[in-house]
Amino acid sequence: MDSQQFREFGKAAIDFVADFYDNVRDGDVLPSVEPGHLLKKLPENAPEQPEDWQTVFKDFTSTIVPGTTLWHSPQFHGFYPTGTSFPSIIGGLLSDGLGVVGLTWMASPACTELEVVTMNWLGKLFGLPEEFLNCSSGPGGGVIQGSASEATIVCLLAAKDKMTRRLKKLNPDIDEELTKIKFIAYTSDQCNSSVEKAGVLGSMKMRLLKADASGRLRGETLKKAFEEDKAKGLIPCYVVANLGTTGTCAFDPLYELGPVCQEENVWLHVDAAYAGAAFICPEYRDLMKGVEYADSFDVNAHKWLLVNFDCSALWVKDSYDLINAFDVQRIYLDDVKAEVKIPDYRHWQMQLGRRFRALKLWMVLKIYGAEGLRAHIRNQISLAQHFAKLVRADDRFIVEPEPAMGLVCFRLAEGDILTKKLLENLIEKKRIFMVAASCKNRFIIRLVICSQFTNKDDVEVSWKLIKDETDKLIPNDKVHIKSQSIASINHIQNISICEKSK
């Protein structure tokens, strides 16, 4: 493909993406395909002869697109938002076009330094303590990881190394390998699966501690777990606090967990993958009270900040904890010794090479501005509140727990079996997508405002789809009769009470 063909193919691709988003409301959210559909359609072997881009593009639209879930449909309400925006897409295109691999500063100075700049911008917008920023006088700083999952395992490994070095300093004769076996990590039983997986990958037992009735991990629970494990000869090493749990978007109180970790020299990592983006709005920053106790803090910019996957923003209070854990030197990686503070990001992550991810973050921050991003988040929260109001107006439903951020959890008052059946029926029709969770041992349905295109009318369309399907399971007239009966009973009881008082 030469540059002229590239221009033609690129223009067609841009037109496709623009049309795709312009018409994203029109199609089913879920594709009408069965497992293995693409395996049957595509040939078993790669083509021997080159094909022209027109043929390839036709194959893309006819075979690939029909099997794609519409993550950015206004009726996609599953999991959490996955960010996208035209500025981010352009940033990704330009990053791919430049084609740099940021092994070291010299490998692409702009790749490293734009990451420093944008991570400082973002950290300040969140209101993080200055010690987490690259521009501080200390060793802290921010780095872009691939995902919150990656950030959690990176910090677990750094915590493991830091605790080993600390114990070795106290007792140079300890057996490092036997000591590491005793390390233990902690998190809430409401954590994301990736947190538990970090323990598996990092060879560290991860205790899932029971959250309170509101889904929060409390300080006294953590302190008790520390005491229990220390009595068994184990060594508390790593704690993951959740600011916005996956199931119900509950917020662990950092101001309780932090002092417990600090007293035992245990690394406190904050997983704020989704909800942390809301901290760019000052009215939500009380939810991260106690963040000064954290050793690391992560937010997925690719969830709620209109940046395409992958772009997970991780800040650490002491970058030397990462460097000490991951520094492996080779002569071909020797770099220019700068007088200014320039991080060598290959020591801040698992992989050696890195893409120019800061470019799409920079594009979004520049084109939307802080106010544009705040408006986006506030709007989605207001849409979630509107949906909750619609649900509460129907006696057949219970909203529980209280809505948080852009998430509303609800269930049918008739019980778990019908709630589960409702979700199954809705997914089968493919017009709306939601996923389940558990709250107080009850089956609940989660509806998240995910798409940047969602408006009030779209929310009401989603509610109508849910309501219409519920009508088939629990006719509304029965609820009306039931409500009248309850009202009549209450009326009779009130008359009886009044008669007695006379």
Side-chain angles (χ1 to χ4, degrees):
M1 176 177 286
D2 59 26
S3 63
Q4 182 56 36
Q5 292 170 322
F6 171 70
R7 292 176 198 276
E8 293 169 359
F9 197 0
K11 184 179 184 303
I14 291 290
D15 286 342
F16 169 84
V17 171
D19 290 340
F20 178 77
Y21 286 126
D22 284 346
N23 301 298
V24 74
R25 284 181 174 81
D26 298 341
D28 290 343
V29 179
L30 299 174
S32 297
V33 297
E34 296 297 327
H37 82 286
L38 201 57
L39 300 178
K40 296 173 183 175
K41 283 188 175 182
L42 298 182
E44 293 183 2
N45 300 310
E48 285 290 337
Q49 301 301 319
E51 298 175 352
D52 60 71
W53 72 262
Q54 292 91 343
T55 300
V56 174
F57 195 50
K58 184 179 178 182
D59 285 350
F60 165 75
T61 55
S62 63
T63 60
I64 309 299
V65 175
T68 303
T69 297
L70 301 186
W71 275 71
H72 303 286
S73 164
Q75 269 64 61
F76 182 98
H77 299 297
F79 313 117
Y80 280 116
T82 180
T84 190
S85 64
F86 294 131
S88 178
I89 293 169
I90 295 297
L93 173 64
L94 294 175
S95 173
D96 288 343
L98 292 175
V100 302
V101 181
L103 304 171
T104 62
W105 178 86
M106 182 61 78
S108 182
C111 181
T112 295
E113 296 191 24
L114 190 63
E115 190 159 332
V116 172
V117 170
T118 52
M119 289 298 289
N120 283 340
W121 285 0
L122 201 53
K124 290 176 183 177
L125 289 177
F126 290 155
L128 290 179
E130 186 179 335
E131 56 197 318
F132 282 103
L133 305 179
N134 287 299
C135 56
S136 69
S137 58
V143 58
I144 297 176
Q145 303 283 344
S147 64
S149 310
E150 201 173 307
T152 303
I153 180 64
V154 162
C155 291
L156 180 144
L157 295 173
K160 191 175 185 180
D161 178 79
K162 184 177 184 179
M163 182 62 77
T164 303
R165 286 185 286 105
R166 176 176 171 271
L167 296 176
K168 188 98 173 155
K169 187 175 181 180
L170 293 173
N171 180 7
D173 297 326
I174 65 166
D175 185 316
E176 288 188 30
E177 296 308 313
L178 289 177
T179 300
K180 288 177 182 178
I181 294 172
K182 300 177 182 179
F183 290 167
I184 186 166
Y186 308 81
T187 191
S188 160
D189 60 0
Q190 302 300 303
C191 74
N192 187 274
S193 63
S194 64
V195 177
E196 188 174 358
K197 189 175 182 179
V200 174
L201 295 173
S203 299
M204 188 183 297
K205 181 182 177 183
M206 181 76 67
R207 275 192 68 180
L208 306 185
L209 304 178
K210 186 160 184 63
D212 68 9
S214 299
R216 301 177 299 167
L217 175 61
R218 306 308 297 265
E220 61 267 24
T221 303
L222 182 64
K223 186 176 180 64
K224 182 181 178 183
F226 279 9
E227 291 169 352
E228 290 171 351
D229 288 333
K230 286 167 63 181
K232 297 175 185 175
L234 301 175
I235 304 170
C237 179
Y238 186 59
V239 170
V240 179
N242 304 278
L243 291 187
T245 57
T246 301
T248 62
C249 202
F251 290 79
D252 293 339
L254 301 183
Y255 53 88
E256 291 184 10
L257 303 176
V260 177
C261 292
Q262 191 174 71
E263 186 177 344
E264 297 291 337
N265 293 296
V266 170
W267 185 300
L268 177 60
H269 175 69
V270 177
D271 181 1
Y274 161 67
F279 300 147
I280 68 172
C281 303
E283 63 266 31
Y284 296 112
R285 288 184 194 156
D286 282 348
L287 293 168
M288 66 172 178
K289 179 183 176 184
V291 69
E292 65 274 8
Y293 290 106
D295 294 279
S296 50
F297 182 93
D298 184 76
V299 177
N300 280 342
H302 62 242
K303 275 196 170 73
W304 214 4
L305 289 176
L306 302 175
V307 180
N308 286 63
F309 188 86
D310 57 346
C311 184
S312 190
L314 170 67
W315 290 269
V316 290
K317 194 176 286 182
D318 189 345
S319 62
Y320 288 112
D321 292 333
L322 301 181
I323 294 168
N324 289 331
F326 304 128
D327 184 359
V328 176
Q329 295 292 344
R330 291 291 186 274
I331 191 170
Y332 49 79
L333 295 173
D334 280 351
D335 216 338
V336 177
K337 306 301 179 185
E339 294 182 5
V340 296
K341 180 186 173 185
I342 302 292
D344 198 346
Y345 280 134
R346 65 191 171 95
H347 302 317
W348 294 41
Q349 59 185 27
M350 289 189 289
Q351 67 271 35
L352 171 60
R354 55 204 341 269
R355 292 180 294 110
F356 200 167
R357 288 179 290 213
L359 195 54
K360 57 187 175 184
L361 177 58
W362 182 74
M363 285 281 186
V364 169
L365 291 171
K366 290 271 285 181
I367 289 180
Y368 280 91
E371 276 307 313
L373 293 174
R374 290 188 188 107
H376 167 66
I377 286 173
R378 287 168 177 153
N379 176 58
Q380 294 214 322
I381 292 173
S382 71
L383 291 174
Q385 292 168 345
H386 177 60
F387 176 76
K389 183 179 178 181
L390 295 172
V391 178
R392 284 182 170 129
D394 191 319
D395 292 340
R396 296 172 294 179
F397 291 89
I398 294 172
V399 174
E400 188 180 38
E402 280 297 307
M405 299 299 169
L407 169 67
V408 180
C409 298
F410 63 96
R411 59 184 171 87
L412 288 171
E414 292 284 342
D416 289 357
I417 294 175
L418 278 184
T419 303
K420 187 175 182 180
K421 182 64 176 172
L422 172 61
L423 180 60
E424 290 173 350
N425 290 354
L426 287 166
I427 290 176
E428 186 178 354
K429 288 183 169 59
K430 299 178 171 55
R431 291 296 300 167
I432 186 173
F433 180 64
M434 299 173 290
V435 296
S438 176
C439 177
K440 299 179 181 177
N441 296 318
R442 302 300 301 267
F443 184 94
I444 59 174
I445 301 173
R446 300 166 67 262
L447 182 139
V448 191
I449 306 299
C450 290
S451 172
Q452 63 161 315
F453 305 113
T454 304
N455 57 35
K456 191 173 180 181
D457 289 342
D458 295 316
V459 169
E460 292 176 358
V461 168
S462 293
W463 168 239
K464 187 177 187 306
L465 291 168
I466 295 167
K467 188 172 176 294
D468 289 350
E469 199 60 42
T470 304
D471 288 343
K472 300 172 186 176
L473 297 172
I474 313 171
N476 219 353
D477 56 345
K478 289 186 179 180
V479 176
H480 181 64
I481 293 169
K482 183 179 177 182
S483 298
Q484 283 186 327
S485 300
I486 293 171
S488 299
I489 293 169
N490 289 339
H491 180 64
I492 293 169
Q493 288 176 338
N494 289 336
I495 292 174
S496 176
I497 292 169
C498 291
E499 290 294 331
K500 287 180 180 179
S501 66
K502 290 179 181 178

